[in-house]
Amino acid sequence: QSALIQPPSASGSPGQSVTISCTGTSSDVGGYNYVSWYQQHPGKAPKLIIFEVNKWPSGVPDRFSGSKSGNTASLTVSGLRAEDEADYYCSSYGGSNNLVFGGGTKLTVL
Amino acid sequence: QVQLQESGPGLVKPSETLSLTCPVSGYSISSGYFWGWIRQPPGKGLEWIGSIYQSGSTYYSSSLKSRVTISVDTSKNQFSLKLTSVTAADTAFYYCARQRGHQLVDYWGQGILVTVSS
């Protein structure tokens, strides 16, 4: 099972919006609505921020939103804040009881 | 609140076996969910290692399957990871986690750095 493809970096200024992509195949991202996104600050464990493509866990602000088209999922962070600077990872159900992650994107708030 | 906490040696010699345990508080493993292990080499991305259900059914990443064993002890409310024949490439932060099926991870341990070195 190959890792999902994410851009290594993304950036935006405070208040702007930024979108991070996550590309897989029809065997994972494209085949199921089980894409999740995680935020990881340095030295911390990842935190779930989006699940099932576009749903929010309790306590996650709606500035974070998810979508999917074909084999590519996307995370959009609106109204960027300094505290959004972190690494972001996507994951997807990969079929056959597998969970596959993306390589991660470092988001910089300029 | 579900809490997980990895424990085990932070240094393992090449060719030996890495062993970690994850006690769970705030939720009974016997009540359901999958319980998994995920690793992250320093400065790199996340890699799913495998998971176990309360029944003891196990599921492993195809790339690590030949070296991984995950077990559960419901009496102690904890689960464990064993990774055999380790090399420097196995140096990573190891996270234990609660999974909803194999769709997502909703609770993570804080992570433990395991270094493989002689």
Side-chain angles (χ1 to χ4, degrees):
Chain A
Q1 194 76 36
S2 299
L4 307 176
I5 306 299
Q6 296 182 235
S9 63
S11 63
S13 299
Q16 289 186 332
S17 294
V18 64
T19 297
I20 298 170
S21 62
C22 170
T23 301
T25 70
S26 58
S27 296
D28 38 62
V29 173
Y32 311 93
N33 287 323
Y34 289 129
V35 176
S36 299
W37 290 91
Y38 306 85
Q39 178 190 63
Q40 185 180 34
H41 286 109
K44 300 292 187 180
K47 171 189 173 185
L48 179 68
I49 57 172
I50 293 287
F51 68 100
E52 292 178 9
V53 177
N54 55 13
K55 297 178 181 177
W56 295 278
S58 175
V60 174
D62 60 6
R63 299 187 298 104
F64 296 93
S65 61
S67 63
K68 191 185 86 166
S69 177
N71 297 337
T72 298
S74 298
L75 171 72
T76 297
V77 186
S78 305
L80 270 176
R81 299 183 178 184
E83 61 261 36
D84 298 333
E85 186 162 295
D87 294 326
Y88 291 83
Y89 293 90
C90 62
S91 75
S92 174
Y93 178 59
S96 301
N97 294 307
N98 276 287
L99 178 62
V100 61
F101 285 96
T105 298
K106 181 177 180 61
L107 174 61
T108 300
V109 180
L110 301 171
Chain B
Q1 179 76 349
V2 180
Q3 293 186 318
L4 306 95
Q5 177 73 61
E6 305 84 358
S7 66
L11 181 64
V12 181
K13 290 182 169 56
S15 80
E16 296 190 344
T17 297
L18 179 159
S19 296
L20 297 173
T21 298
C22 182
V24 178
S25 60
Y27 191 85
S28 172
I29 286 180
S30 299
S31 296
Y33 286 96
F34 290 75
W35 303 90
W37 291 94
I38 295 147
R39 70 180 183 178
Q40 182 175 35
K44 297 188 178 181
L46 301 167
E47 179 184 20
W48 181 72
I49 298 171
S51 65
I52 189 165
Y53 191 58
Q54 51 146 3
S55 62
S57 296
T58 52
Y59 309 87
Y60 300 132
S61 163
S62 56
S63 63
L64 295 170
K65 186 173 185 176
S66 63
R67 298 194 291 130
V68 173
T69 301
I70 297 175
S71 59
V72 65
D73 186 339
T74 54
S75 67
K76 294 182 179 179
N77 211 42
Q78 65 184 33
F79 60 107
S80 301
L81 168 71
K82 290 189 186 299
L83 181 66
T84 62
S85 305
V86 297
T87 69
D90 295 309
T91 293
F93 288 92
Y94 284 77
Y95 294 97
C96 60
R98 190 179 83 169
Q99 298 179 202
R100 290 192 213 168
H102 292 94
Q103 292 95 40
L104 64 91
V105 176
D106 59 0
Y107 288 96
W108 299 71
Q110 67 180 28
I112 183 170
L113 177 61
V114 179
T115 301
V116 178
S117 175
S118 55

